[in-house]
Amino acid sequence: MQVAPSILSADFGILNEEVKSICDGGCDLVHVDVMDGHYVPNLTIGPVVVKSVAKVSTKPLDIHLMVQNNSFFVDLFAPLEPKYISFHIEEEKHPHRLIQKIRALGISPAITLNPHTPPEAIEFLIEDLDMVLLMSVNPGFGGQKFIPNVLERAKRLKEIIMKRNENCLIEVDGGVNDKNIHQLKDAGVDIVVAGSYIYGSDDRAKAIKSLQI
Ligand code: DX5
Ligand code: ZN
């Protein structure tokens, strides 16, 4: 299991140190939550701040867009050369076109599904994707309670992936901790995002390790 700590739960007053702490702690990716105050009722960071995160990070960036006008934000973040950019299927009229655009920029395209969206909604996009991000909370805030229907959604998504594109990874985001990590592993999940669990821990390296099962 790969682990992508979400910097949403970091102390932004000392952001460089907060990014270093998870990289030194052995994380696999650095998860960056981009919120625009329109698609979700919260506002976070733009490319100016993420540029300084990219500078200090020794791990690839995993950018999770929670915005309207995805294509505009892809253009803003592409110069930072993240590994992944994911966008919400619920907020995109032309997902197939946007996937091709992200790929052409040399970035791995990923689609995010909210807790109400069935994995079947993206069956015919799977062959073009490197990752699907399943939300296990409603997007917008860290520290929310895990919605367990993600386990069934992950299993159903895994079946589609085995049929259409075995290389596509499954990532889960929201309320992940050492209590639900084994269920997520059993459901076929490859990457977990964890914000409050890792940043709220006294020993971040140990918290990261507890999820790398
Ligand atoms: C929620 C974000 C998550 C959030 C996860 O909209 O996408 O990445 O930071 O935080 P926790 O792990 O605290 O639920
Ligand atoms: Zn996220």
Side-chain angles (χ1 to χ4, degrees), residues 40 47 60 67 69 72 138-139 147 163 166 173 177 181 184 200:
V40 287
V67 299
N69 201 352
F72 169 78
N138 286 295
I147 300 172
K163 201 162 81 182
E166 287 186 20
D173 183 3
N177 56 39
I181 191 69
L184 290 164

Side-chain angles (χ1 to χ4, degrees), residues 5-171:
S6 164
I7 57 167
L8 188 60
S9 293
D11 179 345
F12 277 65
I14 48 164
L15 190 54
N16 276 7
E17 288 161 48
E18 294 284 80
V19 173
K20 264 187 213 148
S21 77
I22 52 167
C23 291
D24 294 349
C27 72
D28 299 283
L29 296 160
V30 173
H31 186 82
V32 179
D33 289 302
V34 177
M35 307 184 190
D36 68 348
H38 295 281
Y39 178 57
V40 287
N42 198 2
L43 191 59
T44 57
I45 49 178
V48 174
V49 174
V50 180
K51 194 174 175 182
S52 68
V53 172
K55 212 187 270 174
V56 69
S57 178
T58 56
K59 302 295 162 82
L61 299 189
D62 171 28
I63 295 191
H64 175 191
L65 297 180
M66 285 161 274
V67 299
Q68 293 179 345
N69 201 352
N70 285 298
S71 184
F72 169 78
F73 280 86
V74 167
D75 287 332
L76 280 185
F77 286 98
L80 305 180
E81 300 180 359
K83 179 165 175 61
Y84 296 102
I85 293 185
S86 67
F87 63 88
H88 276 258
I89 189 77
E90 299 87 0
E91 190 54 39
E92 181 51 48
K93 286 198 187 88
H94 299 289
H96 188 274
R97 180 183 291 154
L98 187 58
I99 290 168
Q100 313 309 318
K101 172 174 172 163
I102 295 170
R103 174 89 60 203
L105 288 162
I107 299 160
S108 285
I111 282 188
T112 307
L113 305 182
N114 275 331
H116 72 277
T117 306
E120 289 75 14
I122 56 161
E123 175 155 11
F124 295 105
L125 296 172
I126 291 286
E127 64 184 31
D128 295 307
L129 290 170
D130 288 351
M131 183 171 83
V132 176
L133 169 49
L134 297 177
M135 293 305 296
S136 40
V137 297
N138 286 295
F141 303 94
Q144 301 182 81
K145 197 167 164 264
F146 182 78
I147 300 172
N149 82 8
V150 75
L151 299 169
E152 186 185 341
R153 289 158 60 223
K155 286 180 196 156
R156 278 164 55 174
L157 175 59
K158 190 77 182 179
E159 282 175 24
I160 299 169
I161 284 175
M162 295 315 282
K163 201 162 81 182
R164 305 264 176 205
N165 172 12
E166 287 186 20
N167 297 321
C168 181
L169 301 179
I170 303 177
E171 182 177 49

